[in-house]
Amino acid sequence: MKKAVFWIQILILIVEFFVVVLLGFEIQGHMDPDNMMIEAIVLGICLGINIICAFYKLYIDKK
């Protein structure tokens, strides 16, 4: 299970990287507030999933 959590975190980090790149293009480009809001929400969801995975890995290590 620990290996699955590790791969989930890797996939989430890849998604976060691409969303940050898109957000950078959005800031340099036409700055559509709707797109920026969607990207910010996706980043927030990814961060939440990453935090849950980190706490789960800490919980597994204490057992």
Side-chain angles (χ1 to χ4, degrees):
M1 187 65 174
K2 196 173 185 180
K3 198 168 204 162
V5 171
F6 171 76
W7 284 110
I8 289 171
Q9 282 186 302
I10 294 295
L11 290 173
I12 292 298
L13 286 174
I14 291 169
V15 170
E16 286 177 339
F17 174 76
F18 285 118
V19 170
V20 167
V21 170
L22 287 174
L23 190 58
F25 285 133
E26 193 69 39
I27 291 172
Q28 295 296 328
H30 49 71
M31 292 186 71
D32 184 13
D34 293 333
N35 288 345
M36 291 174 72
M37 184 63 74
I38 291 170
E39 291 162 356
I41 290 170
V42 169
L43 279 177
I45 291 170
C46 289
L47 180 64
I49 292 171
N50 215 350
I51 290 170
I52 290 169
C53 289
F55 280 127
Y56 184 74
K57 283 170 59 176
L58 285 174
Y59 176 73
I60 287 176
D61 286 341
K62 290 190 177 195
K63 276 189 159 184

